[in-house]
Amino acid sequence: MVQVEKWDVFETELQGPKEGNPFTEHTLQGVFHSQWETVTTDGFYDGDGVYKIRFMPSFEGEYDYTLSADFLKDPVKGQFISVAPDEGNHGPVRVANTWHFAYEDGTPYYCLGTTCYVWALQSDERIRETLQTLKESAFNKIRFCIFPKHYDYNLKEPRSYPYEGKPMDSSVLTPENFWEYNNRSEGNEWDFTRFHPEHFQHLEYCIKELCKLGIEADLIVMHPYDRWGFSCMTKEQDDLYWKYVLARFSAYRNVWWSLANEYDLLHDKTIADWERYAGLICTHDPYGHLRSVHNCMPFYDYTRPWVTHCSIQRQDLYRTAENVNEWRERYRKPVVLDEIAYEGNVPHGWGNISGQEMLRRFWEAVCRGGYPGHGETFLNEEGVLWWSHGGKLHGESHKRFQFLLDIWKQTPGNGLMPCDRFWAEVCAVPQVSLSPAAKDYYLIYYSFMQPALKQYHIDDTTEYRLKVIDTWNMTIEDRGIVKGRFTVELPGKPYMAIQLVKEN
């Protein structure tokens, strides 16, 4: 009998009609049953007469299934066994303890993401280079698009398109006139009822390669930077697209749904449209993957019940991480800062902060109980910017994220929360403490401040292991045991932190 890991993908296929339009004229479903669960999944047409159904088992043991389709005389039945997951397979990421994340097996997940909008639509060589860079990095989530992107430094055609047809003549594009073609359908010839399976097969390859690396695929399903007309589809065309995407990708455990990048710039879409898309996800994704929507200026209403976490782009030129405390309490959901500006040197205000400032925003977000996201936009002779194309990283902040992650993972329990016990610094305690009075663990970050010494008094009896951390130079100095009133001497430079761990 076929064996599939728990939380992996079981896939089966049927041969069916090629005539007419198989994407709209035929439907198929699978019902998967074990003693623990019964799940109904949608199938999809994969081209050349092949129809596929995918399923992610959430339990170990024997499953039976029934496949039905309008072109079948009788249902197709079968069985497989779900076996124990391998060491690196912890299941999908879920919300845990209100503000944080954990894999389904309970392992804490410390979200440390990056953005590479169309890395998956580059050449094979560039994709291999990106995957190697990711393998050597600390990133465990990456945001990227299903549709190609039309924007500064992104005027070339993608490797493939999601629909049958042909695009407008892009030879007319220049850096000076490209905005004239944004959100326009003129000049394109697409059949929005016929998908291009090879485009989606390639995206599946990328999702699976990310999964091997332990990286979550935060799929941006819609966006406004478009010269091909994909942002201008009708309600019926949008819904067909959403259902196809959900049928193809839902069974992959590392998928997240980002309804849009900068939803508020898709001016033809209304809040009713976004709520309808969310309804489609909740109906057609039987696994409950994480769901959010990303803003340009106004936030979406993250209190909506379908939203699992906040996906935030900063609204202020300078402040983002500093607002995490407020957003945590306002929305009472995990706060993911998917755009806190990019390390780089492009002219745009969102893309030219220093590596030091990027790292500062990361540490500050973490110590306030949030989850920071990275991006990089350095101009270079190749015209390949990580933020869009992937490839290699040229900045400095990414080199220091593993150091942050290693310290972050030392948090007792699951995640940090802000604590206002100490003034003029950013202080974090474990979320499991549920009270600023807890005295087991403190992570205190001095940000851009540069004190030469700090004085503390927690109580008169508790002993702490004191470590002084240089977050930029990635050094940790063990200062031994302290208790009562104690003074911490510091080097008088920014980006320092101290860690206090209660001695047993």
Side-chain angles (χ1 to χ4, degrees):
M1 190 180 298
V2 174
Q3 293 187 347
V4 177
E5 275 186 47
K6 177 182 177 181
W7 300 312
D8 209 343
V9 179
F10 172 78
E11 178 178 290
T12 185
E13 63 181 55
L14 302 169
Q15 293 296 317
K18 302 179 184 180
E19 301 76 16
N21 186 347
F23 296 104
T24 59
E25 295 174 7
H26 302 291
T27 59
L28 65 158
Q29 283 190 327
V31 178
F32 296 83
H33 173 76
S34 75
Q35 63 174 319
W36 305 110
E37 64 176 344
T38 298
V39 177
T40 300
T41 65
D42 297 321
F44 60 93
Y45 183 62
D46 202 33
D48 198 28
V50 176
Y51 295 76
K52 291 184 176 180
I53 297 178
R54 292 176 177 148
F55 172 66
M56 181 186 74
S58 296
F59 299 91
E60 295 174 34
E62 188 172 309
Y63 280 80
D64 58 66
Y65 62 86
T66 301
L67 311 180
S68 58
D70 61 272
F71 54 81
L72 290 176
K73 181 180 179 181
D74 298 304
V76 173
K77 298 181 181 295
Q79 293 178 317
F80 71 92
I81 294 177
S82 173
V83 298
D86 282 347
E87 182 179 357
N89 177 358
H90 300 288
V93 175
R94 308 298 191 194
V95 173
N97 203 7
T98 305
W99 292 280
H100 299 292
F101 299 108
Y103 294 99
E104 193 159 298
D105 71 354
T107 302
Y109 171 73
Y110 301 93
C111 181
L112 202 159
T114 189
T115 292
C116 291
Y117 285 118
V118 286
W119 76 277
L121 300 183
Q122 307 303 308
S123 67
D124 287 350
E125 180 182 5
R126 185 77 63 214
I127 289 169
R128 285 194 295 269
E129 186 177 54
T130 303
L131 289 168
Q132 184 61 35
T133 299
L134 291 170
K135 183 178 180 179
E136 297 168 358
S137 78
F139 299 124
N140 54 28
K141 181 173 83 77
I142 182 170
R143 302 171 63 230
F144 63 101
C145 302
I146 297 173
F147 287 142
K149 184 177 181 181
H150 170 74
Y151 194 70
D152 278 347
Y153 319 111
N154 289 270
L155 301 185
K156 295 181 180 179
E157 296 297 329
R159 66 181 291 149
S160 63
Y161 304 95
Y163 293 98
E164 292 186 12
K166 64 179 184 178
M168 63 169 285
D169 179 8
S170 62
S171 66
V172 302
L173 296 173
T174 68
E176 293 73 32
N177 75 358
F178 82 95
W179 278 115
E180 299 175 19
Y181 295 89
N182 198 49
N183 292 150
R184 282 175 47 177
S185 58
E186 294 87 348
N188 295 293
E189 299 178 12
W190 304 114
D191 184 344
F192 289 121
T193 69
R194 291 181 180 271
F195 298 100
H196 185 208
E198 289 83 358
H199 179 86
F200 294 91
Q201 291 164 3
H202 173 70
L203 290 172
E204 287 160 359
Y205 162 79
C206 293
I207 291 169
K208 289 186 283 189
E209 290 300 302
L210 293 172
C211 194
K212 292 177 185 177
L213 298 176
I215 297 174
E216 302 297 298
D218 195 353
L219 296 179
I220 298 169
V221 186
M222 306 180 83
H223 69 80
Y225 301 107
D226 165 53
R227 67 171 179 266
W228 300 275
F230 306 139
S231 61
C232 307
M233 296 190 298
T234 66
K235 172 182 175 180
E236 292 74 21
Q237 292 163 350
D238 282 346
D239 289 1
L240 183 66
Y241 164 64
W242 271 98
K243 290 176 182 177
Y244 192 70
V245 165
L246 289 160
R248 291 202 72 121
F249 299 147
S250 288
Y252 295 103
R253 66 177 176 269
N254 62 324
V255 161
W256 297 24
W257 303 116
S258 177
L259 274 68
N261 186 74
E262 300 184 341
Y263 81 95
D264 46 310
L265 298 189
L266 283 144
H267 301 302
D268 291 338
K269 311 302 181 187
T270 67
I271 294 298
D273 290 320
W274 297 114
E275 291 295 306
R276 189 179 76 256
Y277 306 147
L280 290 172
I281 297 176
C282 294
T283 300
H284 296 278
D285 171 11
Y287 312 105
H289 290 296
L290 295 176
R291 307 174 294 266
S292 195
V293 58
H294 171 271
N295 66 291
C296 178
M297 291 305 296
F299 290 160
Y300 203 83
D301 180 5
Y302 293 123
T303 65
R304 296 291 300 153
W306 63 265
V307 176
T308 59
H309 64 284
C310 307
S311 173
I312 285 177
Q313 177 171 194
R314 57 100 181 90
Q315 296 173 311
D316 183 279
L317 183 61
Y318 302 105
R319 296 184 304 148
T320 299
E322 295 83 353
N323 295 330
V324 168
N325 302 47
E326 174 191 344
W327 295 330
R328 276 170 47 99
E329 291 307 312
R330 182 192 306 175
Y331 299 115
R332 300 191 66 79
K333 292 178 182 179
V335 175
V336 181
L337 304 179
D338 278 316
E339 285 194 57
I340 55 177
Y342 299 140
E343 180 185 0
N345 59 10
V346 298
H348 304 292
W350 45 258
N352 51 34
I353 66 173
S354 68
Q356 288 94 334
E357 176 60 13
M358 175 68 82
L359 187 68
R360 184 196 72 80
R361 296 182 186 197
F362 263 61
W363 270 86
E364 187 133 341
V366 167
C367 289
R368 293 179 183 274
Y371 294 89
H374 160 273
E376 187 185 282
T377 48
F378 282 102
L379 297 172
N380 54 71
E381 292 182 358
E382 290 183 296
V384 177
L385 283 68
W386 173 265
W387 137 91
S388 196
H389 311 100
K392 296 179 180 179
L393 288 162
H394 302 279
E396 291 297 322
S397 63
H398 75 94
K399 301 174 185 178
R400 293 157 172 85
F401 292 154
Q402 186 62 56
F403 181 76
L404 166 59
L405 187 59
D406 290 343
I407 293 172
W408 199 1
K409 288 182 176 180
Q410 295 171 17
T411 304
N414 188 330
L416 291 165
M417 64 179 284
C419 169
D420 59 2
R421 177 177 184 125
F422 308 116
W423 185 77
E425 53 222 10
V426 184
C427 178
V429 296
Q431 186 69 52
V432 292
S433 302
L434 300 180
S435 168
K439 298 183 295 186
D440 289 349
Y441 180 92
Y442 295 95
L443 183 61
I444 304 169
Y445 182 54
Y446 300 114
S447 188
F448 48 73
M449 297 170 286
Q450 45 187 15
L453 57 87
K454 295 291 289 188
Q455 296 176 328
Y456 292 100
H457 178 231
I458 298 173
D459 63 29
D460 293 327
T461 58
T462 306
E463 293 186 335
Y464 293 93
R465 172 71 59 178
L466 167 64
K467 295 181 180 180
V468 175
I469 302 167
D470 185 327
T471 67
W472 183 255
N473 292 311
M474 296 182 286
T475 62
I476 302 175
E477 182 183 355
D478 190 332
R479 296 283 185 86
I481 304 300
V482 295
K483 73 174 182 177
R485 296 186 183 276
F486 58 92
T487 298
V488 183
E489 294 184 357
L490 294 164
K493 62 181 182 180
Y495 317 129
M496 301 298 294
I498 67 169
Q499 184 189 58
L500 295 168
V501 183
K502 182 181 177 182
E503 285 283 293
N504 294 326

